[in-house]
Amino acid sequence: MSTRATPRRPRRPRKHRRRSADRRRPLPIGLTGALTITLVAAAALVGGLLMTGPGSGQDTAKGDGPTPQQASGTLRSADSTPAASPSPAQSSASPSPSKASASPSERATASPKPDSAARSSTAFAAWPASAADRPVPATIEVSGTYDGGLKRFHGSGALGGDGQDEDQGALFELADGAVLQNVILGAPAADGVHCLGTCTLRNVWWEDVGEDAATFKGASASATYLVLGGGARHADDKVFQHNGAGTVTIRDFQVADFGKLYRSCGNCDTQHARHVVISHVKVTGPADAIAGVNANYGDTATLSGVTITGDGNRDITVCDRFRGNDSGAEPTGTGSGPDGTHCRYRASDVTYD
Protein backbone atom coordinates (compact mmCIF):
# COMPACT_ATOMS: atom_id res chain seq x y z
CA MET A 1 0.00 0.00 0.00
CA SER A 2 1.41 3.48 -0.93
CA THR A 3 2.04 6.15 1.70
CA ARG A 4 -0.42 8.51 0.02
CA ALA A 5 -3.28 6.11 0.43
CA THR A 6 -2.82 5.74 4.16
CA PRO A 7 -4.12 9.19 5.31
CA ARG A 8 -7.43 8.66 3.53
CA ARG A 9 -8.80 6.32 6.19
CA PRO A 10 -9.54 8.96 8.89
CA ARG A 11 -11.42 11.18 6.43
CA ARG A 12 -14.65 9.19 6.71
CA PRO A 13 -15.25 9.88 10.41
CA ARG A 14 -14.36 13.55 9.86
CA LYS A 15 -17.08 13.85 7.20
CA HIS A 16 -19.61 12.38 9.65
CA ARG A 17 -18.62 14.96 12.22
CA ARG A 18 -19.00 17.80 9.69
CA ARG A 19 -22.49 16.60 8.82
CA SER A 20 -23.55 16.71 12.48
CA ALA A 21 -21.93 20.19 12.79
CA ASP A 22 -23.65 21.58 9.64
CA ARG A 23 -26.85 22.12 11.63
CA ARG A 24 -27.57 25.74 12.51
CA ARG A 25 -28.07 25.05 16.24
CA PRO A 26 -24.99 23.53 17.93
CA LEU A 27 -25.58 20.68 20.32
CA PRO A 28 -24.79 21.06 23.98
CA ILE A 29 -21.41 19.76 25.04
CA GLY A 30 -22.89 17.05 27.33
CA LEU A 31 -25.20 15.79 24.59
CA THR A 32 -22.29 15.68 22.12
CA GLY A 33 -20.31 13.51 24.56
CA ALA A 34 -23.25 11.15 25.05
CA LEU A 35 -23.73 10.86 21.29
CA THR A 36 -20.04 10.07 20.85
CA ILE A 37 -20.24 7.33 23.49
CA THR A 38 -23.34 5.91 21.79
CA LEU A 39 -21.59 5.85 18.40
CA VAL A 40 -18.53 4.12 19.89
CA ALA A 41 -20.73 1.51 21.58
CA ALA A 42 -22.63 0.92 18.34
CA ALA A 43 -19.36 0.48 16.46
CA ALA A 44 -18.17 -2.03 19.06
CA LEU A 45 -21.46 -3.93 18.80
CA VAL A 46 -21.21 -4.10 15.00
CA GLY A 47 -17.59 -5.27 15.25
CA GLY A 48 -18.60 -7.96 17.73
CA LEU A 49 -21.35 -9.18 15.46
CA LEU A 50 -18.94 -9.37 12.54
CA MET A 51 -16.40 -11.30 14.62
CA THR A 52 -18.99 -13.83 15.81
CA GLY A 53 -20.31 -14.54 12.36
CA PRO A 54 -20.33 -18.06 10.79
CA GLY A 55 -16.91 -19.69 10.62
CA SER A 56 -15.31 -17.50 13.31
CA GLY A 57 -13.31 -18.87 16.22
CA GLN A 58 -15.62 -17.25 18.79
CA ASP A 59 -18.57 -19.07 17.36
CA THR A 60 -16.97 -22.46 18.03
CA ALA A 61 -15.81 -21.38 21.47
CA LYS A 62 -19.43 -20.66 22.43
CA GLY A 63 -20.34 -24.27 21.74
CA ASP A 64 -22.23 -23.84 18.45
CA GLY A 65 -19.67 -26.17 16.86
CA PRO A 66 -16.78 -28.34 18.11
CA THR A 67 -13.64 -26.61 19.25
CA PRO A 68 -10.45 -27.42 17.32
CA GLN A 69 -9.45 -29.72 20.17
CA GLN A 70 -12.81 -31.48 20.01
CA ALA A 71 -12.54 -31.80 16.24
CA SER A 72 -9.08 -33.32 16.43
CA GLY A 73 -10.30 -35.67 19.16
CA THR A 74 -13.09 -36.83 16.87
CA LEU A 75 -10.58 -37.52 14.12
CA ARG A 76 -8.33 -39.50 16.43
CA SER A 77 -11.29 -41.56 17.55
CA ALA A 78 -12.10 -42.39 13.94
CA ASP A 79 -8.49 -43.25 13.16
CA SER A 80 -8.31 -45.60 16.13
CA THR A 81 -10.91 -47.91 14.59
CA PRO A 82 -9.15 -51.29 14.30
CA ALA A 83 -7.73 -51.89 10.86
CA ALA A 84 -9.39 -48.81 9.48
CA SER A 85 -7.90 -46.81 6.62
CA PRO A 86 -8.77 -43.17 7.27
CA SER A 87 -9.32 -40.82 4.36
CA PRO A 88 -6.82 -37.97 3.82
CA ALA A 89 -9.25 -35.56 5.48
CA GLN A 90 -9.48 -37.75 8.54
CA SER A 91 -5.71 -38.08 8.86
CA SER A 92 -5.30 -34.30 9.24
CA ALA A 93 -4.37 -33.50 12.82
CA SER A 94 -5.17 -29.77 12.48
CA PRO A 95 -8.68 -29.25 11.07
CA SER A 96 -9.40 -26.01 9.28
CA PRO A 97 -11.75 -23.48 10.95
CA SER A 98 -14.53 -24.45 8.56
CA LYS A 99 -14.23 -28.11 9.65
CA ALA A 100 -14.14 -27.14 13.31
CA SER A 101 -17.40 -25.17 12.94
CA ALA A 102 -19.18 -27.83 10.90
CA SER A 103 -22.86 -28.09 11.58
CA PRO A 104 -24.18 -31.14 13.48
CA SER A 105 -25.73 -32.49 10.27
CA GLU A 106 -22.38 -32.27 8.46
CA ARG A 107 -20.61 -34.09 11.28
CA ALA A 108 -23.28 -36.79 11.36
CA THR A 109 -22.89 -37.31 7.63
CA ALA A 110 -19.12 -37.75 7.94
CA SER A 111 -19.22 -40.19 10.87
CA PRO A 112 -20.04 -43.40 8.89
CA LYS A 113 -16.78 -43.14 6.89
CA PRO A 114 -14.55 -44.86 9.49
CA ASP A 115 -17.07 -47.71 9.78
CA SER A 116 -17.04 -48.38 6.05
CA ALA A 117 -13.25 -48.19 6.04
CA ALA A 118 -13.11 -50.68 8.88
CA ARG A 119 -15.40 -53.06 7.03
CA SER A 120 -13.32 -52.86 3.87
CA SER A 121 -10.16 -53.60 5.86
CA THR A 122 -11.56 -56.96 6.99
CA ALA A 123 -11.56 -58.40 3.45
CA PHE A 124 -9.42 -61.52 3.12
CA ALA A 125 -6.10 -61.13 1.34
CA ALA A 126 -5.47 -62.88 -1.97
CA TRP A 127 -3.17 -65.87 -1.93
CA PRO A 128 0.33 -64.49 -2.44
CA ALA A 129 2.70 -65.30 -5.27
CA SER A 130 6.06 -66.67 -4.24
CA ALA A 131 9.07 -64.34 -4.49
CA ALA A 132 11.46 -67.33 -4.74
CA ASP A 133 11.71 -71.03 -3.87
CA ARG A 134 13.88 -72.40 -1.10
CA PRO A 135 14.32 -76.12 -0.39
CA VAL A 136 14.56 -77.10 3.30
CA PRO A 137 16.59 -80.27 3.87
CA ALA A 138 16.74 -79.78 7.68
CA THR A 139 14.44 -78.08 10.17
CA ILE A 140 14.93 -74.32 10.44
CA GLU A 141 15.09 -73.39 14.13
CA VAL A 142 13.71 -69.95 14.93
CA SER A 143 14.17 -67.76 17.99
CA GLY A 144 13.13 -64.13 17.86
CA THR A 145 11.49 -63.12 14.56
CA TYR A 146 11.98 -64.81 11.20
CA ASP A 147 10.64 -62.98 8.14
CA GLY A 148 10.58 -65.16 5.05
CA GLY A 149 9.94 -62.34 2.59
CA LEU A 150 7.11 -64.42 1.07
CA LYS A 151 9.52 -67.03 -0.28
CA ARG A 152 8.19 -70.54 -0.78
CA PHE A 153 9.81 -73.08 1.56
CA HIS A 154 9.39 -76.77 0.75
CA GLY A 155 10.85 -79.94 2.18
CA SER A 156 13.66 -81.87 0.53
CA GLY A 157 15.80 -84.82 1.51
CA ALA A 158 14.70 -86.11 4.91
CA LEU A 159 11.85 -83.55 4.93
CA GLY A 160 10.69 -84.39 1.45
CA GLY A 161 7.75 -86.57 2.47
CA ASP A 162 4.12 -85.61 2.00
CA GLY A 163 2.40 -88.43 3.91
CA GLN A 164 0.62 -88.55 7.26
CA ASP A 165 3.51 -89.91 9.33
CA GLU A 166 3.16 -88.53 12.86
CA ASP A 167 6.94 -88.62 13.38
CA GLN A 168 7.88 -86.31 10.52
CA GLY A 169 10.10 -83.36 11.22
CA ALA A 170 8.93 -79.78 10.80
CA LEU A 171 10.14 -77.24 8.27
CA PHE A 172 10.22 -74.62 11.06
CA GLU A 173 10.63 -75.13 14.79
CA LEU A 174 9.85 -72.04 16.89
CA ALA A 175 11.31 -71.49 20.34
CA ASP A 176 9.16 -70.02 23.10
CA GLY A 177 8.20 -66.45 22.11
CA ALA A 178 9.29 -66.75 18.47
CA VAL A 179 7.54 -65.11 15.51
CA LEU A 180 7.32 -66.56 12.00
CA GLN A 181 5.96 -64.21 9.35
CA ASN A 182 5.59 -63.73 5.59
CA VAL A 183 6.26 -67.36 4.73
CA ILE A 184 4.75 -69.66 2.10
CA LEU A 185 4.98 -73.38 2.75
CA GLY A 186 4.85 -75.34 -0.48
CA ALA A 187 4.72 -79.07 -1.16
CA PRO A 188 6.06 -81.20 0.30
CA ALA A 189 5.57 -79.45 3.63
CA ALA A 190 6.47 -82.32 5.99
CA ASP A 191 4.97 -81.52 9.42
CA GLY A 192 4.78 -77.80 8.81
CA VAL A 193 5.56 -75.66 11.87
CA HIS A 194 6.19 -76.72 15.47
CA CYS A 195 5.74 -74.20 18.30
CA LEU A 196 7.56 -75.27 21.47
CA GLY A 197 5.90 -72.53 23.51
CA THR A 198 4.19 -69.20 22.95
CA CYS A 199 4.49 -68.23 19.28
CA THR A 200 3.04 -66.02 16.56
CA LEU A 201 2.40 -67.10 12.97
CA ARG A 202 1.70 -63.95 11.00
CA ASN A 203 0.81 -64.03 7.30
CA VAL A 204 1.89 -67.66 6.92
CA TRP A 205 0.43 -69.62 3.99
CA TRP A 206 0.28 -73.38 3.50
CA GLU A 207 -0.30 -74.23 -0.16
CA ASP A 208 -0.53 -77.97 0.45
CA VAL A 209 -0.63 -79.07 4.10
CA GLY A 210 1.42 -82.17 4.89
CA GLU A 211 0.72 -84.00 8.14
CA ASP A 212 -0.34 -80.81 9.96
CA ALA A 213 0.10 -77.13 9.14
CA ALA A 214 1.25 -76.33 12.69
CA THR A 215 1.49 -78.17 15.99
CA PHE A 216 1.38 -76.32 19.32
CA LYS A 217 3.40 -77.99 22.07
CA GLY A 218 3.86 -75.51 24.93
CA ALA A 219 3.67 -77.06 28.40
CA SER A 220 2.40 -73.96 30.23
CA ALA A 221 -1.28 -73.22 30.70
CA SER A 222 -0.41 -69.55 30.03
CA ALA A 223 1.09 -70.28 26.60
CA THR A 224 -0.54 -68.37 23.75
CA TYR A 225 -0.34 -69.31 20.09
CA LEU A 226 -1.46 -66.64 17.62
CA VAL A 227 -2.31 -67.36 13.99
CA LEU A 228 -2.91 -63.96 12.38
CA GLY A 229 -3.84 -63.80 8.71
CA GLY A 230 -2.64 -66.27 6.13
CA GLY A 231 -4.35 -69.44 5.00
CA ALA A 232 -4.12 -73.17 4.37
CA ARG A 233 -5.55 -75.63 1.87
CA HIS A 234 -5.44 -79.28 0.89
CA ALA A 235 -5.10 -80.83 4.37
CA ASP A 236 -5.98 -84.52 4.43
CA ASP A 237 -6.70 -84.30 8.14
CA LYS A 238 -5.92 -81.52 10.62
CA VAL A 239 -4.67 -78.01 9.94
CA PHE A 240 -3.79 -76.98 13.52
CA GLN A 241 -2.95 -79.68 16.06
CA HIS A 242 -2.95 -78.66 19.74
CA ASN A 243 -0.90 -81.16 21.77
CA GLY A 244 0.32 -78.88 24.58
CA ALA A 245 -1.43 -76.58 27.02
CA GLY A 246 -2.59 -72.99 26.61
CA THR A 247 -4.77 -71.08 24.15
CA VAL A 248 -4.74 -70.94 20.36
CA THR A 249 -6.15 -67.87 18.60
CA ILE A 250 -6.92 -68.08 14.86
CA ARG A 251 -7.94 -64.77 13.33
CA ASP A 252 -8.37 -63.38 9.81
CA PHE A 253 -7.55 -66.79 8.38
CA GLN A 254 -8.85 -68.68 5.34
CA VAL A 255 -8.91 -72.43 4.90
CA ALA A 256 -10.10 -74.69 2.09
CA ASP A 257 -10.32 -78.42 1.34
CA PHE A 258 -9.37 -79.86 4.73
CA GLY A 259 -10.37 -82.28 7.47
CA LYS A 260 -10.41 -80.22 10.70
CA LEU A 261 -9.23 -76.66 11.17
CA TYR A 262 -8.41 -77.14 14.87
CA ARG A 263 -8.14 -80.28 17.00
CA SER A 264 -7.29 -80.61 20.65
CA CYS A 265 -5.31 -83.83 20.91
CA GLY A 266 -7.70 -86.64 21.75
CA ASN A 267 -5.19 -89.27 22.90
CA CYS A 268 -1.89 -87.63 23.86
CA ASP A 269 0.17 -89.18 26.67
CA THR A 270 -0.20 -85.95 28.64
CA GLN A 271 -3.54 -84.16 28.47
CA HIS A 272 -4.43 -80.57 29.33
CA ALA A 273 -7.39 -78.25 29.39
CA ARG A 274 -6.98 -76.51 26.02
CA HIS A 275 -8.71 -73.50 24.51
CA VAL A 276 -9.16 -72.07 21.03
CA VAL A 277 -10.60 -68.74 19.85
CA ILE A 278 -11.58 -68.65 16.17
CA SER A 279 -12.71 -65.33 14.71
CA HIS A 280 -13.16 -63.88 11.23
CA VAL A 281 -12.34 -67.07 9.39
CA LYS A 282 -13.40 -68.06 5.88
CA VAL A 283 -14.02 -71.78 5.46
CA THR A 284 -14.37 -73.35 2.02
CA GLY A 285 -15.45 -76.96 1.67
CA PRO A 286 -15.08 -79.80 1.37
CA ALA A 287 -14.28 -80.22 5.06
CA ASP A 288 -15.27 -82.26 8.10
CA ALA A 289 -15.21 -79.85 11.05
CA ILE A 290 -13.95 -76.47 12.13
CA ALA A 291 -13.09 -77.30 15.76
CA GLY A 292 -12.80 -80.44 17.87
CA VAL A 293 -12.40 -80.32 21.68
CA ASN A 294 -12.28 -82.74 24.60
CA ALA A 295 -15.16 -81.92 26.91
CA ASN A 296 -13.94 -84.22 29.68
CA TYR A 297 -10.70 -82.21 30.03
CA GLY A 298 -12.44 -78.82 30.13
CA ASP A 299 -11.56 -77.71 26.60
CA THR A 300 -13.36 -74.72 25.08
CA ALA A 301 -13.83 -73.45 21.54
CA THR A 302 -15.12 -69.89 21.07
CA LEU A 303 -16.15 -68.97 17.53
CA SER A 304 -17.37 -65.78 15.87
CA GLY A 305 -17.40 -64.29 12.40
CA VAL A 306 -17.13 -67.65 10.63
CA THR A 307 -18.15 -67.73 6.98
CA ILE A 308 -18.64 -71.10 5.29
CA THR A 309 -18.72 -71.46 1.51
CA GLY A 310 -19.09 -74.48 -0.73
CA ASP A 311 -21.25 -76.35 1.77
CA GLY A 312 -24.73 -76.26 0.34
CA ASN A 313 -25.84 -79.28 2.39
CA ARG A 314 -24.24 -77.92 5.56
CA ASP A 315 -22.19 -81.04 6.12
CA ILE A 316 -19.33 -79.20 7.83
CA THR A 317 -19.59 -79.43 11.61
CA VAL A 318 -18.79 -76.19 13.40
CA CYS A 319 -17.75 -77.72 16.74
CA ASP A 320 -17.37 -81.38 17.80
CA ARG A 321 -17.02 -82.59 21.37
CA PHE A 322 -15.06 -85.71 22.31
CA ARG A 323 -14.10 -87.78 25.32
CA GLY A 324 -10.32 -87.72 25.18
CA ASN A 325 -7.90 -90.13 26.83
CA ASP A 326 -4.21 -90.56 27.57
CA SER A 327 -4.04 -94.23 26.60
CA GLY A 328 -3.63 -93.72 22.89
CA ALA A 329 -7.07 -95.12 22.10
CA GLU A 330 -9.28 -93.42 19.55
CA PRO A 331 -11.38 -90.74 21.33
CA THR A 332 -15.14 -91.10 21.24
CA GLY A 333 -17.51 -88.36 20.11
CA THR A 334 -20.01 -87.02 22.64
CA GLY A 335 -21.89 -84.41 20.60
CA SER A 336 -21.64 -81.36 18.42
CA GLY A 337 -23.08 -77.87 18.13
CA PRO A 338 -23.21 -74.99 20.62
CA ASP A 339 -23.64 -75.93 24.26
CA GLY A 340 -22.50 -72.72 25.96
CA THR A 341 -19.74 -74.55 27.84
CA HIS A 342 -17.32 -76.29 25.50
CA CYS A 343 -18.60 -75.14 22.09
CA ARG A 344 -19.23 -71.44 22.59
CA TYR A 345 -20.98 -69.70 19.71
CA ARG A 346 -24.42 -68.71 18.48
CA ALA A 347 -26.12 -69.41 15.19
CA SER A 348 -25.50 -65.78 14.18
CA ASP A 349 -21.72 -66.33 14.53
CA VAL A 350 -21.72 -68.61 11.50
CA THR A 351 -22.93 -67.56 8.06
CA TYR A 352 -23.20 -69.54 4.82
CA ASP A 353 -22.43 -68.21 1.36
Side-chain angles (χ1 to χ4, degrees), residues 60-304:
T60 59
K62 288 183 178 181
D64 294 336
T67 65
Q69 292 81 2
Q70 290 170 332
S72 62
T74 302
L75 293 173
R76 287 195 296 270
S77 176
D79 292 344
S80 66
T81 303
S85 300
S87 64
Q90 290 171 327
S91 63
S92 173
S94 301
S96 65
S98 60
K99 291 179 183 176
S101 59
S103 66
S105 61
E106 289 172 339
R107 293 194 297 274
T109 302
S111 62
K113 290 183 180 179
D115 295 337
S116 60
R119 284 194 298 270
S120 64
S121 69
T122 60
F124 290 97
W127 278 78
S130 170
D133 283 352
R134 177 178 169 181
V136 182
T139 300
I140 300 172
E141 297 180 353
V142 178
S143 59
T145 298
Y146 186 99
D147 192 315
L150 284 180
K151 296 183 181 69
R152 177 185 288 111
F153 296 80
H154 59 86
S156 65
L159 297 177
D162 58 358
Q164 296 296 302
D165 184 1
E166 295 283 353
D167 297 325
Q168 292 183 78
L171 296 187
F172 291 92
E173 183 178 86
L174 276 59
D176 186 24
V179 177
L180 180 67
Q181 62 188 22
N182 300 323
V183 166
I184 302 172
L185 278 72
D191 202 26
V193 179
H194 288 178
C195 284
L196 304 184
T198 289
C199 69
T200 298
L201 308 180
R202 181 183 292 112
N203 197 36
V204 177
W205 303 81
W206 289 264
E207 293 181 332
D208 194 333
V209 176
E211 160 57 14
D212 299 315
T215 303
F216 306 114
K217 299 183 172 185
S220 172
S222 62
T224 56
Y225 319 92
L226 304 180
V227 180
L228 307 176
R233 55 192 179 194
H234 310 313
D236 290 339
D237 190 7
K238 301 172 296 296
V239 177
F240 297 119
Q241 174 75 28
H242 194 175
N243 290 349
T247 301
V248 174
T249 298
I250 306 168
R251 185 166 69 241
D252 301 333
F253 192 78
Q254 48 192 306
V255 59
D257 184 20
F258 62 101
K260 303 175 185 68
L261 173 59
Y262 168 90
R263 180 65 172 102
S264 172
C265 183
N267 53 12
C268 284
D269 293 340
T270 302
Q271 292 288 27
H272 306 273
R274 305 182 181 99
H275 311 282
V276 63
V277 178
I278 300 173
S279 64
H280 192 236
V281 169
K282 181 180 180 182
V283 174
T284 302
D288 294 332
I290 297 175
V293 296
N294 303 313
N296 59 313
Y297 290 124
D299 292 357
T300 63
T302 304
L303 302 96
S304 64

Side-chain angles (χ1 to χ4, degrees), residues 279-341:
S279 64
H280 192 236
V281 169
K282 181 180 180 182
V283 174
T284 302
D288 294 332
I290 297 175
V293 296
N294 303 313
N296 59 313
Y297 290 124
D299 292 357
T300 63
T302 304
L303 302 96
S304 64
V306 176
T307 301
I308 300 177
T309 64
D311 186 28
N313 295 327
R314 302 197 177 186
D315 294 326
I316 299 175
T317 303
V318 175
C319 184
D320 285 328
R321 294 183 295 278
F322 296 88
R323 176 173 294 279
N325 62 77
D326 57 6
S327 64
E330 190 66 22
T332 57
T334 60
S336 61
D339 64 353
T341 303

